[in-house]
């Protein structure tokens, strides 16, 4: 009896280890897929491009006032048309952990020159090439002053995702999943019963994913934590995590449904097997009963009342005196 319960406890523990491994693997793979994507991080930054442009414009206005430049022209150098150059560079720096600096950005410089030339053409202003070049350089310096930050270097989430430790976690989780499935198959002697524990592990993993994302959303945990000192960067990183956990919740729902379906199918398999056994047993019992009834009908004589008395009379031997 003790060995039976010990076996059950061990098998249940393997099912929970399977669930934990699935949770860790799903989160890790998703985090690497998203936090290693320039396009994904850039899209989160573009959501806050208005705040980034606002910060740039404040610095441009300060420079224009300080150097007595045309404020309207100076502020128009960085707009929604070319902010993608900025967000693309910042996203790249977040992923690879570089400091953000636009001091030597030829791409941004070219975009600013293009904006100044458009302003000149639209307003009929005359500027020499040297003045345009000098103004563009001042604008790039102002952008650098507004956005230059160590924030892109210090966000631990990006650092950890690209670390060797993350690869170890993914590898160990994948191996644990394989090991748990093999162990459950072995401990159940390859029987169909193993799917009960595998299905329970998958459903539990889905429930954990859903529960974790729900708690984070309800408690608003990210609102109480600051990733970056620069507001636009902080919001972008929080948005990265929020979308990650939203996708994780969807994965959790899929895992939960898949686990429940596996459990239901396994239950149905055993139910149908039991019903087939009961039906076979009932048929065999009926056949046995019919056979025995037929046997007694054919081989046992029907009792005739008074038959014993008649036999006794026939056996009397009358002796002669």
């Amino acid at each position: 009896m003790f060995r039976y319960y010990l076996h059950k406890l061990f098998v249940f523990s393997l099912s929970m280890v399977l669930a934990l491994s699935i949770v860790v693997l799903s989160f890790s793979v998703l985090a690497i897929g998203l936090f290693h994507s320039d396009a994904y991080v850039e899209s989160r930054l573009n959501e806050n491009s208005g705040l980034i442009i606002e910060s740039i414009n404040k610095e441009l206005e300060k420079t224009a006032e300080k150097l007595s430049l045309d404020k309207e022209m100076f502020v128009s150098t960085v707009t929604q048309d070319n902010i993608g150059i900025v967000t693309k560079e910042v996203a790249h720096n977040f992923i690879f952990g570089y400091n953000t600096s636009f001091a030597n950005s030829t791409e941004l410089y070219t975009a600013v020159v293009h904006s100044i030339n458009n302003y000149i053409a639209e307003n009929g202003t005359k500027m020499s090439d040297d003045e345009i070049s000098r103004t563009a350089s001042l604008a790039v310096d102002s952008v650098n002053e507004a956005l230059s930050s160590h924030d892109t270097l210090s966000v631990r989430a990006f650092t950890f995702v690209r670390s060797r430790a993350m690869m170890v976690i993914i590898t160990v989780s994948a191996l644990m999943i394989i090991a748990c499935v093999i162990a459950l198959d072995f401990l159940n002697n390859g029987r169909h019963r193993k799917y009960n524990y595998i299905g329970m592990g998958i459903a539990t993993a889905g429930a954990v994913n859903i529960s974790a994302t729900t708690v984070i959303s309800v408690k608003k945990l990210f609102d109480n934590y600051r990733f970056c000192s620069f507001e636009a960067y902080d919001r972008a990183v929080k948005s990265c995590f929020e979308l990650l956990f939203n996708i994780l919740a969807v994965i959790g729902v899929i895992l939960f449904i898949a686990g429940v379906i596996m459990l239901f199918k396994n239950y149905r398999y055993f139910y149908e097997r039991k019903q087939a056994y009961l039906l076979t047993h009932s048929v065999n019992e009926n056949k046995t009963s019919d056979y025995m009834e037929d046997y007694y009908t054919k081989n046992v004589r029907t009792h005739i009342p008074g038959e014993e008395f008649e036999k006794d009379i026939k056996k009397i031997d009358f002796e002669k005196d």
Side-chain angles (χ1 to χ4, degrees):
M1 184 65 70
F2 177 74
R3 290 183 63 184
Y4 171 78
Y5 285 112
L6 185 63
H7 178 271
K8 286 291 184 183
L9 179 62
F10 184 63
V11 171
F12 176 77
S13 300
L14 283 175
S15 180
M16 293 301 100
V17 171
L18 175 64
L20 179 61
S21 300
I22 293 173
V23 171
V24 173
L25 183 65
S26 60
F27 176 82
S28 301
V29 171
L30 185 60
I32 286 181
L34 295 179
F35 283 80
H36 270 191
S37 170
D38 283 19
Y40 173 70
V41 181
E42 185 181 348
S43 68
R44 303 299 98 191
L45 287 164
N46 285 332
E47 285 185 352
N48 297 277
S49 60
L51 189 57
I52 295 174
I53 292 174
E54 183 182 337
S55 300
I56 293 172
N57 287 344
K58 286 180 181 179
E59 194 62 36
L60 290 171
E61 288 175 2
K62 288 180 183 179
T63 304
E65 290 176 0
K66 189 183 297 182
L67 301 176
S68 300
L69 299 172
D70 185 342
K71 185 184 292 186
E72 186 178 349
M73 179 194 67
F74 209 56
V75 170
S76 67
T77 54
V78 179
T79 62
Q80 287 289 351
D81 295 332
N82 54 25
I83 191 63
I85 297 171
V86 173
T87 54
K88 182 179 179 181
E89 180 67 21
V90 174
H92 182 78
N93 291 340
F94 265 122
I95 291 172
F96 292 97
Y98 300 147
N99 286 324
T100 296
S101 176
F102 296 95
N104 299 316
S105 177
T106 56
E107 188 176 6
L108 180 59
Y109 173 81
T110 303
V112 170
V113 169
H114 181 71
S115 296
I116 294 173
N117 286 327
N118 287 341
Y119 181 85
I120 291 171
E122 290 174 2
N123 295 276
T125 307
K126 291 183 179 181
M127 291 181 68
S128 65
D129 290 343
D130 289 341
E131 288 176 325
I132 293 174
S133 178
R134 185 167 58 253
T135 302
S137 296
L138 289 170
V140 170
D141 288 341
S142 297
V143 172
N144 188 58
E145 188 68 27
L147 302 181
S148 180
S149 173
H150 295 291
D151 284 340
T152 51
L153 174 66
S154 58
V155 178
R156 293 181 180 178
F158 291 95
T159 305
F160 184 72
V161 163
R162 67 174 183 272
S163 67
R164 183 178 297 178
M166 178 59 85
M167 298 308 300
V168 171
I169 289 173
I170 290 176
T171 303
V172 171
S173 299
L175 291 176
M176 287 298 295
I177 291 172
I178 296 171
C180 287
V181 171
I182 293 174
L184 288 171
D185 180 67
F186 176 77
L187 290 172
N188 289 280
N189 298 320
R191 295 177 181 175
H192 218 269
R193 187 174 53 201
K194 65 188 175 187
Y195 295 114
N196 282 340
Y197 301 102
I198 295 173
M200 183 168 58
I202 295 173
T204 303
V208 170
N209 280 352
I210 296 170
S211 301
T213 52
T214 302
V215 170
I216 290 171
S217 177
V218 172
K219 296 290 185 180
K220 297 181 178 180
L221 299 181
F222 289 121
D223 292 345
N224 301 323
Y225 188 83
R226 195 166 186 85
F227 293 95
C228 305
S229 58
F230 184 44
E231 183 65 23
Y233 294 169
D234 185 64
R235 289 186 183 182
V237 174
K238 286 179 180 177
S239 182
C240 285
F241 274 100
E242 287 170 359
L243 184 57
L244 183 149
F245 279 101
N246 288 338
I247 296 174
L248 195 65
V250 174
I251 293 174
V253 172
I254 294 172
L255 287 172
F256 183 77
I257 293 174
V260 170
I261 290 174
M262 183 177 288
L263 289 171
F264 175 76
K265 283 191 171 183
N266 213 42
Y267 167 78
R268 188 175 179 179
Y269 167 80
F270 281 111
Y271 176 79
E272 291 177 351
R273 184 178 174 183
K274 181 179 179 180
Q275 292 300 114
Y277 169 78
L278 292 175
L279 180 61
T280 303
H281 185 69
S282 176
V283 169
N284 289 337
E285 277 191 345
N286 291 335
K287 287 182 178 179
T288 302
S289 299
D290 292 343
Y291 172 79
M292 294 305 296
E293 184 177 349
D294 183 66
Y295 176 82
Y296 282 112
T297 301
K298 291 180 179 180
N299 296 283
V300 178
R301 294 180 60 188
T302 304
H303 175 70
I304 300 174
E307 184 179 19
E308 294 84 354
F309 178 74
E310 185 177 336
K311 288 180 180 179
D312 290 341
I313 293 175
K314 289 180 180 180
K315 289 180 179 179
I316 296 174
D317 183 17
F318 294 95
E319 294 181 357
K320 292 180 180 182
D321 294 332

